[in-house]
Amino acid sequence: MDIRARLREQRIETPSWAYGNSGTRFKVFAQPGVPRDPFEKLADAAQVHRFTGIAPSVALHIPWDKVDDYAGLRRHAEGLGLSIGAINANVFQDDDYKLGSVTNPDPRVRRKALDHLLECVDIMDATGSDTLKLWFSDGTNYPGQDDIRARQDRLAEALESVYARLGEGQRFLLEYKLFEPAFYTTDVPDWGTAYAHCLRLGPKAQVVVDTGHHAPGTNIEFIVAFLLREGKLGGFDFNSRFYADDDLMVGAADPFQLFRIMYEVAEEPGIAFMLDQCHNLEPKIPGQIRSVMNVQEATAKALLVDKNALKSAQAAGDVLGANAVLMDAYNTDVRPLLADLRQETGLDPDPMAAYAKSGYFQEISATRVGGAQAGWGA
Ligand code: LRH
Ligand code: MN
């Protein structure tokens, strides 16, 4: 297998919301030069692709990226050498969704939520996106608050309607999350629940694994391997965490876990590698560049695993031998290989330094004055 060719083909999708302000319930620290609209978010995403060469698509979040003319936004993206990636629905910020969106006891609220999901498919049509990403904050905070099975019935009904609306070549990715904002039940809390709903629906429904959405100690690469075997792994929301859904830079908290995940999936086609992060303190564009490089480094290490040596050690029951094969790859410094690969493709071998030298940050800090900086508030 030609590792360099695989690395040249790698594609990592950046999230529009990573370029906007973000924070916690305690504070959102605004930063200079932050975009004020989806057009400026795309311009910043184009910088990540300019210096890494492998981030040519951007995931949108609706209504945070709502515009009057989605075809115009698509043309703007294409003018920047980008394409519009996954469309993320948002049924977690409206007062009506306090007791749930598609799982809400009130049919009026369920209808409203479903209409938003269907509107997101219209936006896929207008932007040329083939992927709808569905994450539901739906859940309860106290035992007895609602009927767990009835909520699953309501969820299944909504997913069926969305599935039926998907056009040729379109799919949806169902995202699970253990908890938050709900603190007793979450209606799609784990991979098993997401998998079961997707299995019932059909091939256009797959599971997205957000690396920050598991209980501490969860073996995520096992989930990845299992879903791959079932043909139900649609993609990743990459980030990292020390505690909960911290949305830190992928590979920052646990680069060895990222390597183990990439070892399971590095050679698999059709898997969406998306970042889902919030740069609460660090500058946003360099944060995205560093994150793309972290995935690239983990991928290169994973591709370096000597598969034949591993297979024979595994077959021989040579536990230490097999583990050593993987650790040899993990302990390999792949930065010279990647720097050389960038040079070969006409890129600066050091994307972080190249971006810093570009003066782009100074330019946007000077020109983006006035207006409302983008954030999670739409
Ligand atoms: C939920 C989530 C989901 C997005 C949001 C930005 O925690 O991971 O993928 O909609 O973050
Ligand atoms: Mn996510």
Side-chain angles (χ1 to χ4, degrees), residues 58-345:
V58 181
L60 300 184
H61 218 297
I62 309 297
W64 299 342
D65 298 314
K66 190 172 184 54
V67 293
D68 303 335
D69 175 8
Y70 284 104
L73 188 66
R74 176 184 186 168
R75 285 192 299 278
H76 179 72
E78 288 163 357
L80 291 164
L82 299 174
S83 65
I84 302 295
I87 302 297
N88 286 259
N90 181 335
V91 286
F92 55 85
Q93 285 188 314
D94 187 299
D95 292 340
D96 278 338
Y97 300 146
K98 187 171 89 169
L99 300 179
S101 65
V102 295
T103 62
N104 196 294
D106 180 343
R108 180 192 64 77
V109 175
R110 298 201 297 271
R111 182 72 244 177
K112 175 179 176 175
L114 179 56
D115 288 344
H116 170 71
L117 305 182
L118 298 174
E119 180 206 353
C120 286
V121 183
D122 299 340
I123 294 169
M124 289 166 68
D125 295 340
T127 58
S129 167
D130 63 10
T131 299
L132 173 67
K133 187 146 81 65
L134 299 175
W135 172 67
F136 298 101
S137 61
D138 293 41
T140 63
N141 275 1
Y142 296 98
Q145 176 183 331
D146 198 353
D147 183 281
I148 293 172
R149 290 166 59 179
R151 292 175 73 92
Q152 290 301 309
D153 296 341
R154 298 163 197 159
L155 171 65
E157 192 184 322
L159 292 175
E160 243 165 69
S161 302
V162 177
Y163 192 89
R165 166 68 183 82
L166 292 174
E168 193 56 39
Q170 294 181 332
R171 64 178 176 167
F172 75 58
L173 304 182
L174 182 57
E175 185 172 358
Y176 58 88
K177 181 175 179 178
L178 184 64
F179 79 104
E180 190 215 28
F183 295 107
Y184 170 55
T185 67
T186 291
D187 294 296
V188 188
D190 54 29
W191 72 271
T193 307
Y195 170 65
H197 279 288
C198 291
L199 198 58
R200 181 191 294 266
L201 288 161
K204 293 183 177 182
Q206 294 180 301
V207 179
V208 60
V209 174
D210 185 312
T211 45
H213 287 188
H214 305 82
T218 299
N219 186 321
I220 299 177
E221 58 271 26
F222 173 87
I223 297 170
V224 169
F226 184 93
L227 291 172
L228 270 174
R229 185 170 169 278
E230 300 294 320
K232 278 298 181 191
L233 178 69
F236 290 92
D237 265 7
F238 278 131
N239 50 63
S240 71
R241 52 83 171 272
F242 289 104
Y243 304 103
D245 191 18
D246 308 352
D247 280 341
L248 299 173
M249 291 190 296
V250 59
D254 190 344
F256 185 43
Q257 180 191 59
L258 180 61
F259 162 77
R260 299 193 314 265
I261 291 171
M262 293 312 292
Y263 172 68
E264 295 297 334
V265 76
E267 297 181 48
E268 298 290 335
I271 310 294
F273 291 160
M274 301 170 285
L275 302 180
D276 179 5
Q277 298 173 179
C278 298
H279 302 292
N280 298 347
L281 308 178
E282 69 272 24
K284 313 209 178 256
I285 298 169
Q288 286 288 293
I289 293 174
R290 180 68 259 173
S291 302
V292 168
M293 293 168 66
N294 286 355
V295 175
Q296 207 177 22
E297 288 174 16
T299 306
K301 290 172 183 256
L303 292 172
L304 281 173
V305 171
D306 180 339
K307 284 257 170 53
N308 299 332
L310 184 63
K311 294 273 177 275
S312 45
Q314 289 170 341
D318 176 1
V319 175
L320 290 177
N323 177 249
V325 172
L326 224 68
M327 294 315 290
D328 286 349
Y330 178 65
N331 293 321
T332 303
D333 184 355
V334 293
R335 293 172 294 183
L337 161 70
L338 292 170
D340 186 50
L341 200 69
R342 292 184 191 110
Q343 209 132 29
E344 187 188 276
T345 48

